[in-house]
Amino acid sequence: MKYFLIALPREDMEHCIKVGIYGLSRKQVISKVSRGDKIACYVTKEYKVIALGEAISDYYIDDEPVFRTPGMYIDRFKFSVGKLAPELNFMDFIDRLSFIKNQAYWSVYLRNGIVEMADKDWALLETTAKK
């Protein structure tokens, strides 16, 4: 099992959660997603993790227009998540995430829209969400 954090602005993330599909126009990281992998949803500019769940499909390619912003996001996977209440403030635990190697440039690690995390990063998100 692998763990991924996907990053989008609020409106786009809410739409992806509603349709249950996440897509990009490049497959470097997204092609590693498989059914059963864990997914965390991060809202850019608000610095919030708003949902946790899992991939319900393997990576696939599809050009059906399902996203609200223009673009051919053909590299996709289906997912199902539960919204968090309260949402998690990313800045509260950013210094404990292992995939962020340089705290001064933390946003660079989220620039591609998806990042693979270590199992201990996922455990940190789950633990923080349960508090």
Side-chain angles (χ1 to χ4, degrees):
M1 177 182 321
K2 295 180 289 292
Y3 307 89
F4 296 91
L5 183 129
I6 58 177
L8 288 170
R10 170 81 63 177
E11 293 88 15
D12 295 331
M13 184 64 75
E14 295 285 357
H15 180 77
C16 285
I17 290 170
K18 183 175 127 188
V19 298
I21 301 171
Y22 179 77
L24 289 173
S25 57
R26 58 195 172 280
K27 65 179 182 179
Q28 292 162 327
V29 176
I30 197 171
S31 65
K32 298 177 184 178
V33 176
S34 299
R35 179 187 315 262
D37 289 347
K38 299 298 183 183
I39 307 297
C41 299
Y42 169 76
V43 173
T44 59
K45 298 181 182 161
E46 294 180 34
Y47 315 115
K48 302 276 186 183
V49 175
I50 67 165
L52 299 176
E54 69 180 45
I56 58 172
S57 79
D58 293 334
Y59 159 81
Y60 66 97
I61 295 174
D62 188 356
D63 63 359
E64 178 187 351
V66 294
F67 301 111
R68 57 182 293 285
T69 54
M72 293 300 296
Y73 305 107
I74 63 170
D75 298 295
R76 302 177 180 180
F77 66 87
K78 294 180 181 179
F79 69 106
S80 176
V81 294
K83 295 276 212 84
L84 298 175
E87 297 172 345
L88 306 181
N89 183 345
F90 194 70
M91 296 306 178
D92 289 346
F93 51 84
I94 190 171
D95 58 334
R96 294 179 278 158
L97 293 169
S98 66
F99 70 89
I100 298 178
K101 306 293 184 206
N102 185 334
Q103 294 294 313
Y105 301 102
W106 67 268
S107 64
V108 170
Y109 300 95
L110 304 174
R111 187 174 291 159
N112 287 331
I114 185 170
V115 62
E116 188 170 355
M117 301 185 297
D119 57 348
K120 67 180 182 179
D121 295 333
W122 178 261
L124 174 63
L125 292 177
E126 276 191 321
T127 301
T128 305
K130 290 178 183 175
K131 288 184 180 178

